Amino acid sequence: MKLRWRFGIIAGIFLAVFCLYPQLNLMYLRGDAWNGHYAYNDIDEVAYASYVRALIDGRPRKNDPYSGRDDRPEQPQPESLFSIQFAAPYTIALPARIFGFGAPWAMTLSGAAAGFLAALAGFWLVFMITRDNWFAMAASLAIFAGGALAAGEGALPEILFDGFSYPYFPGFRRYIPAMAMPAIFALFGAVWALLRPAADEGDKAWPRGPIFIFAGACFAYTVFSYFYIWTTAAAWLGSLFVVWTLFRPEGFRRDLKNFGILGAACAAVLIPYAWLLSRRSETMDDVQLLVYTHAPDIWRVPLLISVVCILLIAAGAANRLFEWRSRSTLFVLATSLVPLIVFNQQVITGRSLQPIHYQVFIGNYVTGLALLLTIGLLTANLRMRWPLIARAASAVLLLAAIVWGTVECYYTVRVLDEANIERDLALPVARRLEELAASEPNPHRMTVLSYDGIFADDMPTVAPQNILWARHQHVFAGLTWHESKERYYQYLYYSNVDEKGLDWLLTNDFVSKIALFGWGRHTDRLSADSKPLTYGEIAEEVARYGEFRRNFDTAAATRPMLSFVVINNEMNTDLTNLDAWYERYAEETIGKFTIFRVRIRAGN
């Protein structure tokens, strides 16, 4: 059967629609009142969107949209997760800058494009191994629509248990891992194009030079886009090499040369990556929650599915449904081994870095690929004998993927409906701040105090000013961990929160725990070494804040100097402490929000 791209395009269109569902849902909920904001799929997207906005504005690669600090010769900035993983955001920002649209539309369109291209790459790969357009189309959509299911998350916990429907299509969180997802599946396809038997090359043998270049470019894109995807790609390449070495299929010597060339290309890519990583900020390690452990990790859903795949491959080979040493069998076996590697590499290295990201952002999709390819191997003879029945079965699989994708959209998107509505309501405020910044020589250094937490986190996506404090502020490199905590202290002070109030927050509010103790102390989901806060730690932090309040002075009030204040009129906001140090003027009411210009009071 010849490759028919129209089948891949069909899968791509469906996945692109799924990726657009949150946006269509927000537009439906807001109706004629929609202000034009994008619907986020994950709360972390605000940080990524803010970085994209900064790049659209022409700010340097090492920028911090939350603190307003950019890399300058007189004030060089360290590398951050964002500046090291620059390929994906530049892929979005450059076209947005050329065509003149902002970060909200850039985020929306990038998600749809990533979904379409990922499905197309998945279709290409599955077709080359199974030689079946219908099955490849259905399998490609099933892999990505079933990503949350393969992670043991998404809608299933709420449907079957008393759980929580989250996250929505995790592989298409924008811009990571969304933009890197097509690249890793294209890498899989390119490597198979190098390794597949000559008899499978169809009516045209592909030149190997361009394939090597394409494979190297795909790997490089993943390296400079998302840590968990490039390390998964590296684990897959290593698994493939080991399996090929152990079983030595026909033509093995030629393959060794291919592995050598590809390995050298990948190693060359990692040299500049390692150099950038060596220049990372001190806060980057705190955010990443690196744990030193040799303990195995065997109860992840993707890993359990991969074990099933390995057993099915063994059973199929034992029953002579396919040959053990055939290239397609070895390729699928190597792919099935990847979850075992990424979840347990710490047994050898002694280092574990937030394995939940492998579970929901890439390991689940590799497992889904392995499962569908295993099914493709087991049913190859049946599909050749009864092609019409095989097409009907593929159509059923496609329909099931469409239905389940719709179920995932319905259950998981509604979790963020309220937050997305609030963000859209506040968009005109951010646009007004953008207008007010137009005449300023350096608006990035102007600081906004927002008493509304959702707006504070989202504001840098649209407005160029920096924010005094926001939930995702410390993931950038502009502030040290001490400076980030001090800004949160200022936010609490201006909010009239006393020691007793902070004590309550640190017991009941996970945002406060993150702000003062980092991401690893509020949940055991991110770290295998997570420890809940102790009463002693809370008491110490409350005492430090109490000292900060008692010693609050002009230096504290002007570090940084506030330029704007935003309040939500539906909240009972006490501005007493703010008014003691700043004078409010030029009041503007926009919807349910009010913007004030502020200046330090005379005598302070």
Side-chain angles (χ1 to χ4, degrees):
M1 189 180 292
K2 291 184 178 181
L3 176 66
R4 305 295 185 192
W5 283 108
R6 62 178 176 270
F7 289 90
I9 291 172
I10 291 171
I13 290 172
F14 274 109
L15 191 56
V17 171
F18 288 147
C19 291
L20 287 172
Y21 179 90
Q23 188 64 42
L24 298 174
N25 177 64
L26 176 61
M27 294 167 68
Y28 169 76
L29 292 174
R30 296 286 289 135
D32 293 338
W34 178 55
N35 289 314
H37 215 346
Y38 79 98
Y40 63 25
N41 309 329
D42 183 286
I43 57 176
D44 290 342
E45 285 187 353
V46 291
Y48 305 129
S50 297
Y51 186 69
V52 167
R53 161 64 197 246
L55 296 180
I56 292 173
D57 284 349
R59 294 169 68 178
R61 178 178 59 85
K62 290 190 288 185
N63 72 73
D64 181 350
Y66 281 87
S67 71
R69 297 179 183 177
D70 291 349
D71 188 50
R72 293 178 294 174
E74 67 275 14
Q75 191 177 14
Q77 295 295 308
E79 298 289 347
S80 69
L81 283 173
F82 297 84
S83 63
I84 294 173
Q85 299 176 157
F86 61 84
Y90 270 105
T91 305
I92 301 171
L94 291 177
R97 190 172 184 183
I98 291 170
F99 293 106
F101 53 86
W105 273 111
M107 294 293 284
T108 300
L109 297 175
S110 67
F116 180 83
L117 293 174
L120 206 60
F123 163 79
W124 177 52
L125 169 63
V126 176
F127 171 81
M128 285 194 295
I129 294 175
T130 64
R131 312 300 297 179
D132 187 328
N133 285 296
W134 282 84
F135 181 76
M137 172 180 62
S140 176
L141 189 60
I143 290 166
F144 296 110
L149 185 64
E153 305 212 355
L156 192 65
E158 182 177 347
I159 293 173
L160 296 183
F161 313 103
D162 187 21
F164 183 65
S165 291
Y166 192 80
Y168 153 88
F169 278 66
F172 296 94
R173 182 183 70 176
R174 301 158 301 184
Y175 49 77
I176 56 175
M179 299 305 293
M181 194 64 69
I184 189 171
F185 274 80
L187 172 65
F188 294 162
V191 173
W192 174 248
L194 291 170
L195 297 177
R196 64 182 179 167
D200 283 352
E201 295 197 3
D203 56 357
K204 184 172 70 172
W206 295 352
R208 297 195 171 270
I211 297 176
F212 277 118
I213 294 172
F214 180 66
C218 288
F219 183 76
Y221 190 86
T222 65
V223 167
F224 293 105
S225 288
Y226 193 41
F227 173 83
Y228 294 95
I229 284 194
W230 86 252
T231 51
T232 299
W236 177 78
L237 288 169
S239 175
L240 203 62
F241 176 74
V242 170
V243 168
W244 239 252
T245 302
L246 289 176
F247 291 97
R248 303 194 174 205
E250 185 180 349
F252 170 69
R253 292 185 180 277
R254 182 198 68 171
D255 297 334
L256 277 182
K257 180 180 178 181
N258 291 336
F259 277 121
I261 296 172
L262 191 58
C266 293
V269 167
L270 293 176
I271 293 173
Y273 178 81
W275 182 77
L276 291 177
L277 200 61
S278 70
R279 301 169 67 86
R280 67 190 182 275
S281 69
E282 63 180 49
T283 59
M284 186 169 161
D285 290 346
D286 294 328
V287 171
Q288 289 309 292
L289 307 177
L290 180 65
V291 173
Y292 297 94
T293 179
H294 290 280
D297 189 349
I298 59 174
W299 296 115
R300 305 276 179 176
V301 174
L303 192 150
L304 298 177
I305 296 173
S306 73
V307 171
V308 172
C309 291
I310 294 168
L311 294 175
L312 288 174
I313 292 170
N319 287 280
R320 299 186 178 181
L321 294 177
F322 43 77
E323 291 292 329
W324 249 120
R325 296 179 63 208
S326 73
R327 290 168 178 267
S328 56
T329 302
L330 298 182
F331 187 92
V332 179
L333 176 61
T335 304
S336 301
L337 290 171
V338 170
L340 292 166
I341 298 170
V342 296
F343 288 120
N344 290 282
Q345 53 75 34
Q346 74 277 0
V347 173
I348 297 173
T349 66
R351 289 166 172 78
S352 175
L353 189 63
Q354 298 188 41
I356 184 63
H357 290 77
Y358 287 116
Q359 179 176 331
V360 300
F361 290 135
I362 184 59
N364 48 331
Y365 294 98
V366 174
T367 293
L369 171 65
L371 180 61
L372 269 298
L373 288 178
T374 301
I375 293 172
L377 291 179
L378 293 172
T379 60
N381 291 331
L382 297 177
R383 285 185 284 108
M384 289 181 65
R385 287 184 186 179
W386 298 294
L388 292 179
I389 295 177
R391 288 185 180 183
S394 295
V396 170
L397 176 60
L398 179 68
L399 180 61
I402 294 170
V403 170
W404 184 252
T406 305
V407 169
E408 286 283 359
C409 286
Y410 171 76
Y411 276 92
T412 58
V413 168
R414 63 181 182 172
V415 174
L416 295 174
D417 279 353
E418 185 177 341
N420 279 322
I421 290 172
E422 288 298 312
R423 291 172 57 248
D424 188 61
L425 285 169
L427 183 63
V429 179
R431 285 176 173 162
R432 179 56 181 153
L433 287 171
E434 184 179 34
E435 291 173 359
L436 293 171
S439 60
E440 297 292 335
N442 191 0
H444 313 308
R445 304 301 291 171
M446 303 178 75
T447 303
V448 178
L449 164 61
S450 171
Y451 286 91
D452 185 289
I454 291 178
F455 176 77
D457 222 13
D458 196 53
M459 186 203 78
T461 301
V462 177
Q465 295 93 337
N466 77 81
I467 193 79
L468 175 68
W469 181 83
R471 176 177 168 180
H472 283 86
Q473 186 175 62
H474 64 280
V475 302
F476 285 90
L479 301 176
T480 65
W481 179 243
H482 173 75
E483 288 176 312
S484 183
K485 288 181 65 172
E486 185 174 274
R487 284 201 177 201
Y488 186 62
Y489 281 171
Q490 289 174 289
Y491 172 77
L492 293 174
Y493 175 82
Y494 289 132
S495 300
N496 279 2
V497 175
D498 59 12
E499 291 91 326
K500 187 178 294 184
L502 179 58
D503 184 85
W504 184 90
L505 287 171
L506 288 175
T507 305
N508 299 279
D509 178 41
F510 75 93
V511 173
S512 298
K513 294 178 184 178
I514 291 171
L516 296 176
F517 291 93
W519 289 84
R521 301 303 301 277
H522 76 290
T523 176
D524 60 1
R525 180 175 170 85
L526 297 177
S527 171
D529 194 35
S530 176
K531 296 180 179 65
L533 290 179
T534 65
Y535 290 116
E537 288 175 307
I538 292 174
E540 271 185 52
E541 197 62 48
V542 168
R544 278 192 287 268
Y545 172 62
E547 184 179 357
F548 174 85
R549 286 183 74 239
R550 289 188 295 273
N551 296 324
F552 197 87
D553 56 12
T554 303
T558 56
R559 192 176 57 242
M561 181 81 74
L562 300 181
S563 299
F564 298 94
V565 171
V566 176
I567 64 171
N568 184 333
N569 299 326
E570 294 181 355
M571 300 169 63
N572 187 21
T573 305
D574 186 345
L575 301 176
T576 303
N577 280 359
L578 173 72
D579 290 341
W581 299 95
Y582 282 90
E583 177 185 352
R584 289 180 280 141
Y585 67 100
E587 175 181 339
E588 293 185 53
T589 299
I590 302 175
K592 66 176 185 177
F593 295 89
T594 298
I595 302 175
F596 297 98
R597 290 294 300 256
V598 294
R599 57 187 165 224
I600 197 75
R601 285 192 178 276
N604 283 339

